[in-house]
């Protein structure tokens, strides 16, 4: 994971291919005055390497601002590697979700238990193997990292030296608190997990209509470069592809829901359909079942809400089962 300059004094740290936990981060600098970090990664070793590379790029320019785009740990559990006097900003909804999230130590224990139970037949083994897949080789922090100390409701402006950076809350969608970071003078947008490129997106919170509206807002910005939360840099075509994916998921998924099928069987049928072929090369296609479990809740009249541990465990078990089916074919 190395820095790639994407505009004047703007860099992206791209962690490809962008699978589970492989989150992108960013850096905006006004040389000699101030700098901003966008997101931090959950693997403490990788977070430290990024911090060292950032220090090389900024030199004597202090990092005064940090933005966390949302509450998933792979975008903020590296916050302890940023300077202690830098202000950390996120949306108010995101901070609330961070406080409710399962701490790193518990996720580590959950994944470690999963590694031990992955051989067991049935849902327990499927859940265990998939949770271990989600963690990958990441080394999590031992305690909950520093949380943001500044929030906003809908929009915010941060001056990084003489550079204007615009923040806009576009959630709830992927999570409760999704925001984007727009650097107008560079034509760059850091989209967080409202954009997955080459990697299957996940609807943990919803409603889905908010996500498609957020994608339309991203397109309206007409930026030169978009930095997704996962995957390579992209432009309008890739954003449209994510929008098309969600439109297909919404329409096909609703047909299965109305027909009385369960979320897992609906996902299984959809993954085997001809309409899915254009998205089949994306990483982790089995994640569809995670989104379907959220959509089925919403269509049943339940309110949009962050996933509980029980919801995640059930969704991971279903995803693990679909993945094993695919691997056995």
């Amino acid at each position: 994971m190395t820095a790639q300059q994407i505009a004047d004094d703007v860099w992206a740290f791209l962690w490809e291919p962008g699978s589970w936990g492989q989150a992108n981060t960013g850096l905006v600098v006004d040389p000699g005055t101030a700098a901003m970090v966008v997101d931090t990664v959950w693997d403490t070793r990788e977070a430290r390497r990024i911090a060292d590379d950032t220090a090389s790029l900024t030199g004597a320019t202090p990092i005064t601002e940090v933005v966390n785009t949302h509450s998933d740990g792979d975008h903020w559990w590296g916050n302890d590697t940023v300077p202690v006097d830098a202000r950390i900003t996120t949306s108010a909804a995101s901070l609330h979700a961070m406080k409710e999230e399962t701490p790193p130590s518990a996720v580590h224990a959950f994944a470690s238990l999963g590694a031990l139970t992955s051989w067991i037949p049935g849902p327990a083994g499927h859940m265990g193997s998939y949770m271990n897949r989600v963690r990958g080789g990441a080394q999590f922090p031992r305690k909950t990292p520093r949380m943001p100390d500044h929030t906003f409701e809908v929009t915010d402006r941060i001056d990084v030296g003489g550079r204007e950076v615009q923040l806009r809350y576009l959630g709830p969608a992927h999570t409760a608190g999704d925001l984007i970071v727009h650097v107008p003078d560079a034509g760059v947008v850091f989209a967080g997990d409202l954009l997955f490129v080459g990697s299957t997106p996940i609807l943990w919170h919803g409603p889905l209509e908010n996500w498609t509206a957020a994608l339309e807002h991203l397109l309206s910005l007409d930026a030169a470069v978009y930095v997704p939360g996962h995957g390579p840099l992209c432009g309008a075509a890739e954003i449209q592809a994510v929008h098309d994916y969600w439109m297909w998921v919404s329409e096909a998924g609703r047909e299965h829901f109305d027909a009385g099928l369960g979320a897992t069987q609906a996902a299984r049928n959809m993954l085997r359909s001809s309409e899915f072929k254009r998205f089949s090369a994306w990483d982790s296609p089995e994640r569809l079942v995670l989104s379907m479990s959220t959509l089925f809740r919403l269509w049943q009249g339940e309110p949009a809400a962050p996933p509980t541990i029980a919801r995640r465990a059930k969704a991971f078990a279903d995803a693990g089962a679909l993945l094993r089916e695919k691997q056995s074919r």
Side-chain angles (χ1 to χ4, degrees):
M1 191 174 187
T2 57
Q4 179 177 336
Q5 187 165 6
I6 56 177
D8 289 344
D9 298 305
V10 181
W11 287 266
F13 292 83
L14 303 174
W15 193 344
E16 296 189 40
S19 189
W20 284 108
Q22 296 177 337
N24 298 328
T25 66
L27 176 65
V28 181
V29 181
D30 183 15
T33 306
M36 168 188 282
V37 168
V38 180
D39 280 339
T40 62
V41 300
W42 67 1
D43 186 326
T44 55
R45 297 162 300 187
E46 198 65 35
R48 174 48 56 193
R49 282 193 287 269
I50 294 170
D52 291 343
D53 289 346
T54 297
S56 298
L57 291 170
T58 56
T61 302
I63 296 171
T64 58
E65 303 283 350
V66 179
V67 176
N68 295 144
T69 58
H70 62 289
S71 59
D72 282 349
D74 57 338
H75 291 259
W76 71 277
W77 282 0
N79 279 1
D80 286 343
T81 63
V82 303
V84 294
D85 56 349
R87 183 179 69 163
I88 304 179
T89 297
T90 195
S91 68
S94 178
L95 179 60
H96 178 76
M98 288 174 175
K99 293 177 178 178
E100 299 296 319
E101 271 290 319
T102 306
S105 58
V107 175
H108 172 74
F110 192 34
S112 298
L113 177 63
L116 295 175
T117 61
S118 60
W119 60 272
I120 299 174
H126 295 155
M127 185 276 292
S129 63
Y130 203 78
M131 184 60 211
N132 194 45
R133 176 186 179 89
V134 169
R135 176 181 59 176
Q139 185 177 89
F140 294 155
R142 296 184 178 181
K143 61 182 180 64
T144 300
R146 177 185 166 194
M147 291 194 179
D149 41 43
H150 174 67
T151 64
F152 67 97
E153 295 293 335
V154 180
T155 62
D156 198 7
R157 167 179 167 161
I158 298 177
D159 291 324
V160 181
R163 308 187 75 167
E164 176 187 347
V165 177
Q166 300 173 354
L167 309 184
R168 179 175 288 274
Y169 170 58
L170 293 174
H174 169 66
T175 65
D178 306 300
L179 68 90
I180 63 170
V181 180
H182 184 201
V183 190
D185 73 348
V188 171
V189 175
F190 294 92
D193 279 5
L194 290 170
L195 273 185
F196 288 68
V197 175
S199 183
T200 305
I202 308 165
L203 183 73
W204 281 124
H205 192 288
L208 183 54
E209 292 80 7
N210 281 5
W211 198 329
T212 54
L215 294 170
E216 290 161 9
H217 179 79
L218 288 172
L219 288 170
S220 75
L221 295 175
D222 195 27
V225 180
Y226 294 86
V227 183
H230 296 264
L233 302 175
C234 72
E238 290 81 3
I239 298 174
Q240 187 62 53
V242 178
H243 190 279
D244 292 348
Y245 176 81
W246 283 130
M247 295 304 294
W248 167 70
V249 168
S250 177
E251 294 169 5
R254 184 71 202 209
E255 288 179 4
H256 285 82
F257 175 81
D258 290 342
L261 276 69
T264 303
Q265 187 58 51
R268 182 179 289 111
N269 291 352
M270 291 164 68
L271 290 171
R272 294 173 179 173
S273 70
S274 58
E275 293 82 4
F276 172 69
K277 288 181 180 178
R278 64 173 294 198
F279 312 112
S280 61
W282 291 0
D283 180 78
S284 302
E286 74 284 346
R287 288 175 178 168
L288 173 61
V289 74
L290 310 180
S291 299
M292 294 306 299
S293 67
T294 300
L295 285 171
F296 270 49
R297 287 184 68 257
L298 297 175
W299 290 333
Q300 288 164 359
E302 297 184 48
T308 61
I309 293 178
R311 273 183 60 198
R312 286 189 194 265
K314 173 64 167 61
F316 286 152
D318 292 340
L322 290 181
L323 182 61
R324 286 190 180 180
E325 289 176 15
K326 178 183 177 183
Q327 292 172 338
S328 66
R329 290 202 298 269

